[in-house]
Amino acid sequence: AFGFSYAYNWALAFDLVDPVSFGHLWSLAVEEQYYLLWPGLLVILLRLGLSLRGLVLVTALLAVASASVPMLLDDPSWRRVYYGSDYRVHGLLIGSITGMLFSGGVVRREHIGHPIFRAMLAVAVAYIGALMLFSTTKPAFLFLWGIPALGVAGSLVVLACAFADGGWPVRVLGNRVVTYLGQRSYAIYLWHLPIGQWFRYLDAPQQLLVAGAVTLLAAELSHRLVERPALSLKGRFGRGRARAPAVAPAVMAPPVIEAARGEAAA
């Protein structure tokens, strides 16, 4: 019931369920709650006549408020903070700010090539790598500013990829295998944990091969049988309503666009 209602994160936050096979649904729940609430709030802000600068400022203030939740709650448990939408939403807000800066033309190609941005990007990539290796050792550090910093670092990487027009970024992101996995990334994420639990008694190499193959098969089936029909409905009801972005997508290399479309569709 918590999974189908996209409330699994709150069930975990308050110890209402066992996260063994479906614990990963918490992140999808946070995303869906954001997708339901943010557009309405954005419409209100636009109706109030806010400029792009005003929208970015309000969104940034909301992100800071969300990231401050661990300091505002009275002695919260790590589960309450980690799984709560009120804390986790700051990452999605940072992503929305990134989209505003890109589509509004605030961040342009010449900015991406500037030495200062390149230095910031190098620090961001190094930070992401370090967090992958040492994230379990300092939980208090993560909640206070480690995870919010990860959102900022990720936004820098996304902006760099959005303006990629050649070289190894395009070759990697435009690779057919990467594009295929990107278009099915939602389904792969959805299926990998319950299938992995089913084969958890196998040795690690066998588990990786068998569970990985079954996961890809399940993801392909759900992509064809569920996601594509759903996307056709999206096109039917949304046709003619979307306006072109302020910056044409042509600034992105075509392979990068194709790789991103699958994730955006999911």
Side-chain angles (χ1 to χ4, degrees):
F2 284 118
F4 278 114
S5 62
Y6 285 96
Y8 207 93
N9 65 309
W10 290 113
L12 290 175
F14 293 104
D15 294 314
L16 301 178
V17 292
D18 184 355
V20 174
S21 294
F22 300 100
H24 64 313
L25 296 182
W26 74 268
S27 64
L28 303 182
V30 172
E31 291 178 36
E32 187 64 24
Q33 292 163 32
Y34 184 74
Y35 297 153
L36 290 174
L37 296 176
W38 175 244
L41 177 58
L42 187 59
V43 168
I44 294 174
L45 295 175
L46 291 171
R47 291 284 177 88
L48 292 175
L50 264 68
S51 63
L52 175 62
R53 179 179 298 179
L55 287 175
V56 171
L57 178 60
V58 170
T59 309
L61 291 174
L62 291 174
V64 171
S66 171
S68 302
V69 165
M71 293 176 282
L72 300 177
L73 295 176
D74 293 331
D75 193 25
S77 68
W78 74 267
R79 292 172 65 92
R80 167 62 184 87
V81 175
Y82 190 84
Y83 295 117
S85 298
D86 49 355
Y87 172 68
R88 280 294 181 173
V89 75
H90 72 262
L92 293 163
L93 289 167
I94 291 172
S96 293
I97 293 172
T98 305
M100 293 177 192
L101 296 177
F102 174 78
S103 64
V106 178
V107 177
R108 298 186 295 274
R109 186 179 302 277
E110 55 266 30
H111 299 144
I112 302 300
H114 196 279
I116 294 179
F117 182 89
R118 289 180 177 272
M120 293 170 57
L121 181 63
V123 173
V125 172
Y127 176 71
I128 293 172
L131 208 59
M132 293 174 65
L133 296 175
F134 307 112
S135 62
T136 59
T137 60
K138 301 288 184 181
F141 148 79
L142 288 179
F143 289 139
L144 290 179
W145 66 273
I147 294 178
L150 177 63
V152 175
S155 70
L156 294 175
V157 174
V158 169
L159 285 172
C161 292
F163 284 97
D165 56 0
W168 68 265
V170 171
R171 290 195 296 271
V172 172
L173 295 176
N175 181 278
R176 290 185 177 182
V177 175
V178 175
T179 302
Y180 176 90
L181 294 176
Q183 291 172 341
R184 290 151 182 80
S185 58
Y186 183 95
I188 292 172
Y189 182 79
L190 185 68
W191 285 108
H192 85 279
L193 187 57
I195 290 176
Q197 288 291 326
W198 186 264
F199 294 103
R200 67 184 183 277
Y201 298 110
L202 297 176
D203 294 335
Q206 295 176 330
Q207 184 183 31
L208 181 62
L209 291 174
V210 176
V214 176
T215 296
L216 289 176
L217 176 61
E220 181 64 29
L221 290 174
S222 55
H223 179 76
R224 291 176 178 268
L225 301 178
V226 180
E227 291 184 37
R228 285 184 179 177
L231 288 174
S232 66
L233 293 176
K234 171 186 173 182
R236 182 185 307 172
F237 289 106
R239 186 176 295 116
R241 297 182 183 179
R243 293 186 298 175
V247 176
V251 300
M252 297 173 64
V256 179
I257 295 176
E258 293 302 320
R261 280 176 178 166
E263 180 65 19

